[in-house]
Amino acid sequence: MKTVSTAKSHGGTQGVYSHHSAACACEMTFAVFVPPRSGTKPLPVLWYLSGLTCTHQNVMDKGEYRRLASELGLIIVCPDTSPRGETVPDEQDNWQFGCGAGFYLDATQAPFDANYRMYTYLTEELPALIAAEFPADMKRQAVFGHSMGGHGALTLALKNADRFRSCSAFAPIVHPSTAHWSTDAFTKYLGHDQSSWRAYDAVSLIEDGKRFAEFLVDQGSADGFLDNGLQPWLLEKACKEAGIPLTLNMREGYDHSYYFISTFMDDHLRWHAQRLTV
């Protein structure tokens, strides 16, 4: 692991790091905020997954999480959204696919299957690195994210319910199998057989029997992607039928941006802290 940069913030350390990923077959960059602590007791870990076109940097610059994370004693891990580099296949004129749009899945279709293995990266490789290099209590993990990252958080939680104590999302893509901005990516990553898509689709996973303790979702009513891309009512219906508690907050007048995310970031941090510190 290489240290790209570190800075003191709210008594803790905001770091950016890189390493060669075996899962993604390229150099990967990620950010970790470690709050101040007394003694040697390890701290709970909250993973933040970013959305389409983003990197680890977006939430670092705009998410406004460090002050409260310091108060609550939470390590915040912010991975990148996809593999990157000259050898990684990409469609530079397509913001909904390729670099910046990994959708937190393991691709099965060439040429993308060699690098686009974000699910394995986030469930196996990066957690092992976090456990080895930071004062992290890996028995106390939670996950949240925005948009495509909200989709990733929901699917990771549903498929790893024994690992994550809590899961929340800002404006998640809840049913990417039917969303206008993800079906093309799913076809290229996973192939035309849509039955294989269900493993990376929160609504489908719930329909197929996956369960999680509860979810928290915040969604802006003025989000331009609400009707065709996000469709939180589909998650609401699936959770209701499955008996999964869901708190869905429709936030009047808010859009899809980090103005929205930063407004409700504290609510999500406190919600996770309550479940991580017991």
Side-chain angles (χ1 to χ4, degrees):
M1 187 182 77
K2 303 172 186 175
T3 299
V4 177
S5 66
T6 59
K8 188 169 183 177
S9 178
H10 296 282
T13 301
Q14 177 65 71
V16 177
Y17 309 92
S18 68
H19 71 117
H20 180 79
S21 166
C24 298
C26 67
E27 193 78 2
M28 295 291 286
T29 302
F30 62 96
V32 180
F33 177 71
V34 179
R37 66 182 184 134
S38 57
T40 59
K41 186 177 180 180
L43 301 172
V45 179
L46 178 54
W47 297 80
Y48 178 86
L49 308 185
S50 291
L52 280 162
T53 75
C54 293
T55 70
H56 65 281
Q57 192 75 38
N58 297 75
V59 70
M60 280 178 56
D61 292 346
K62 305 173 185 176
E64 302 179 16
Y65 58 84
R66 281 173 289 266
R67 177 192 56 78
L68 189 56
S70 286
E71 293 179 15
L72 297 172
L74 300 176
I75 291 176
I76 309 294
V77 181
C78 307
D80 202 348
T81 51
S82 70
R84 298 179 192 271
E86 293 182 359
T87 62
V88 176
D90 187 23
E91 293 183 4
Q92 295 186 3
D93 59 347
N94 183 0
W95 65 274
Q96 297 173 329
F97 181 75
C99 293
F103 280 95
Y104 303 104
L105 50 75
D106 280 355
T108 59
Q109 303 300 299
F112 309 107
D113 55 343
N115 301 101
Y116 288 84
R117 294 175 48 79
M118 289 299 294
Y119 181 80
T120 294
Y121 179 67
L122 289 177
T123 57
E124 297 179 16
E125 186 174 16
L126 189 55
L129 187 61
I130 297 298
E133 298 289 345
F134 298 93
D137 184 350
M138 303 306 283
K139 295 181 180 179
R140 293 187 292 163
Q141 295 185 67
V143 61
F144 69 149
H146 170 234
S147 193
M148 179 185 73
H151 138 77
L154 293 171
T155 57
L156 260 67
L158 284 163
K159 296 170 73 171
N160 300 275
D162 58 341
R163 174 179 299 187
F164 297 107
R165 290 196 183 183
S166 54
C167 174
S168 71
F170 300 100
I173 306 171
V174 305
H175 199 13
S177 296
T178 62
H180 76 285
W181 58 6
S182 47
T183 52
D184 181 60
F186 271 43
T187 301
K188 293 174 181 176
Y189 287 139
L190 301 172
H192 290 280
D193 181 3
Q194 295 191 18
S195 64
S196 67
W197 300 7
R198 300 183 71 83
Y200 302 104
D201 183 305
V203 169
S204 296
L205 285 167
I206 293 171
E207 291 174 348
D208 292 345
K210 295 294 185 182
R211 298 291 182 265
F212 197 72
E214 59 180 326
F215 294 119
L216 168 66
V217 172
D218 274 273
Q219 171 65 61
S221 66
D223 191 320
F225 303 110
L226 179 59
D227 292 333
N228 295 321
L230 308 175
Q231 307 178 93
W233 48 86
L234 298 179
L235 178 65
E236 188 174 39
K237 179 176 181 292
C239 285
K240 183 177 180 180
E241 293 177 352
I244 300 174
L246 167 67
T247 300
L248 174 59
N249 298 315
M250 294 301 299
R251 303 297 189 178
E252 186 65 30
Y254 284 91
D255 59 17
H256 199 68
S257 72
Y258 268 89
Y259 296 114
F260 158 63
I261 297 168
S262 62
T263 299
F264 301 104
M265 178 63 77
D266 282 7
D267 293 348
H268 284 243
L269 293 178
R270 289 192 177 96
W271 190 82
H272 286 289
Q274 289 174 355
R275 289 150 180 81
L276 286 168
T277 56
V278 294

